[in-house]
Amino acid sequence: EVQVVESGGGLVKPGGSLRLSCAASGFPFRDYSMNWVRQTPGKGLEWVSSISSFSTLVNYADSVRGRFTISRDNAKNSLYLQMDSLTAEDTAVYYCARESGMEYFDLWGRGTLVTVSS
Amino acid sequence: QSALTQPRSVSGSPGQSVTISCTGTSSDVGGYKFVSWYQQHPGKVPKLVIFDVNKRPSGVPDRFSGSKSGNTASLTISRLQAEDEADYYCSSYAGSYTYVFGSGTMVNVL
């Protein structure tokens, strides 16, 4: 089955860190750029970060640049998001999303919830 | 990286048509043909319904159509059905490996 599955979410205090993982299966992971997209509870979607198939190109939303780091391990079919200096505004469901090759997201995971609270 | 502007909600009766607008800038919607739309039912994962402004993925009914003029893209749902009640988000490529989503529109089927 073609799928991506996120993990690593949880409750963290302001200023803390968390590392999210996304395990891909059923498709040639190394052929696709991957992304993280988040959704604040009850609110809209926000693109967070993208990484090209061989990690040569990465970018971040202004809201997370300098605090979050995206990475991938093609040998393990895995995508990661290291989140540091977390604030309450980072509280959201974080989705792993595959970029189709034509600048749209054609495969989404079910998401993992990150809650930043003291 | 400001969110694209969408109306908060639109409503229509079964069988009618509704159109959702998505306004950006020349740096995103107006600058690329890469506008996509996602449907999200409560508690569910976003689902792609339109890509490349006006193309439908396999399995999406032809009641869904997209268009673009200048910095504004639109999604039209024709012959509205109860199952179409959901949140809809537009998205655009914004250059340099970045993307921007719209603020989201709730479609209410009366």
Side-chain angles (χ1 to χ4, degrees), chain A residues 45 47, chain B residues 1-4 28-29 90-94 98-102:
Chain A
L45 299 170
W47 171 79
Chain B
Q1 293 178 350
S2 299
L4 306 175
D28 38 63
V29 174
C90 60
S91 176
S92 175
Y93 181 65
T98 67
Y99 303 84
V100 59
F101 281 93

Side-chain angles (χ1 to χ4, degrees), chain A residues 33 35 37 39 43-47 50-52 57 59-62 95 99 102-105 108-110, chain B residues 1 33-34 36 38 40 43-48 51-52 89 91 93 95-103:
Chain A
S33 296
N35 293 257
V37 176
Q39 185 166 31
K43 294 196 176 177
L45 299 170
E46 179 187 16
W47 171 79
S50 64
I51 186 168
S52 62
L57 293 172
N59 215 333
Y60 302 92
D62 290 343
Y95 295 103
E99 191 272 308
M102 293 293 288
E103 314 301 357
Y104 60 89
F105 308 111
W108 298 66
R110 299 180 71 84
Chain B
Q1 293 178 350
K33 69 169 186 174
F34 303 121
S36 50
Y38 303 86
Q40 186 179 34
K44 300 296 187 181
V45 175
K47 173 191 171 186
L48 178 72
F51 66 96
D52 286 1
Y89 296 91
S91 176
Y93 181 65
S96 301
Y97 238 61
T98 67
Y99 303 84
V100 59
F101 281 93
S103 47

